[in-house]
């Protein structure tokens, strides 16, 4: 039979038990993200959706520099991690048309 005290921690404090559950969830989430980022997918940017500003800037730079009237569905930019640095590749279809490094607010083309 369930005891009413089973939903409380040892001291009978329900609030403390809730905080313990929240902290356990935060630690579990951090562990999952860490394993995904550094063990399973070290070369990918798991949070690209949150930090895609440099990719947009490089894409705008490419379109402006080349007067390319392509719509944004044909041309896109993607950040690639190479251990010691990140590069942003601009693709047109399946082909890489430009490589760049974005640092300190400046865009540097890579050949």
């Amino acid at each position: 039979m369930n005891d009413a005290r089973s939903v409380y921690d040892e001291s009978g404090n329900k609030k403390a038990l809730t905080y313990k559950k929240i902290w356990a969830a935060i630690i579990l989430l951090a562990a999952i993200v860490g394993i995904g980022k550094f063990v399973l997918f070290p070369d990918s940017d798991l949070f690209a959706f949150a930090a895609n500003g440099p990719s947009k800037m490089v894409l705008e730079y490419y379109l402006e520099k080349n007067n390319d009237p392509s719509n944004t569905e044909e041309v896109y930019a993607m950040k690639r991690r190479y251990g010691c640095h990140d590069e942003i590749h601009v693709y047109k279809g399946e082909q890489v048309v430009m490589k760049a490094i974005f640092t300190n607010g400046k865009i540097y083309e890579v050949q």
Side-chain angles (χ1 to χ4, degrees):
M1 191 164 161
N2 285 343
D3 184 339
R5 237 174 113 65
S6 65
V7 295
Y8 297 90
D9 68 351
E10 298 80 31
S11 65
N13 188 350
K14 190 172 184 178
K15 192 179 218 183
L17 183 63
T18 303
Y19 286 131
K20 287 180 184 179
K21 288 181 181 179
I22 291 171
W23 277 109
I26 290 171
I27 291 169
L28 181 63
L29 179 64
I32 290 170
V33 169
I35 289 170
K37 174 76 174 150
F38 298 108
V39 177
L40 299 176
F41 307 106
D43 293 333
S44 66
D45 190 358
L46 297 177
F47 302 106
F49 63 90
N52 61 0
S55 295
K56 284 183 180 180
M57 291 177 70
V58 170
L59 182 59
E60 290 171 3
Y61 169 81
Y62 168 78
L63 292 172
E64 183 179 308
K65 178 184 174 207
N66 296 305
N67 292 324
D68 192 344
S70 299
N71 60 17
T72 55
E73 288 141 15
E74 289 180 18
V75 179
Y76 62 96
M78 184 180 293
K79 187 168 106 175
R80 299 283 185 185
R81 182 172 293 274
Y82 289 103
C84 60
H85 72 286
D86 294 341
E87 284 184 11
I88 300 169
H89 294 182
V90 178
Y91 293 88
K92 188 170 187 177
E94 296 291 320
Q95 182 179 0
V96 176
V97 291
M98 187 179 95
K99 295 179 182 178
I101 296 174
F102 181 83
T103 184
N104 296 329
K106 294 184 180 180
I107 298 169
Y108 301 96
E109 283 190 57
V110 178
Q111 300 299 329

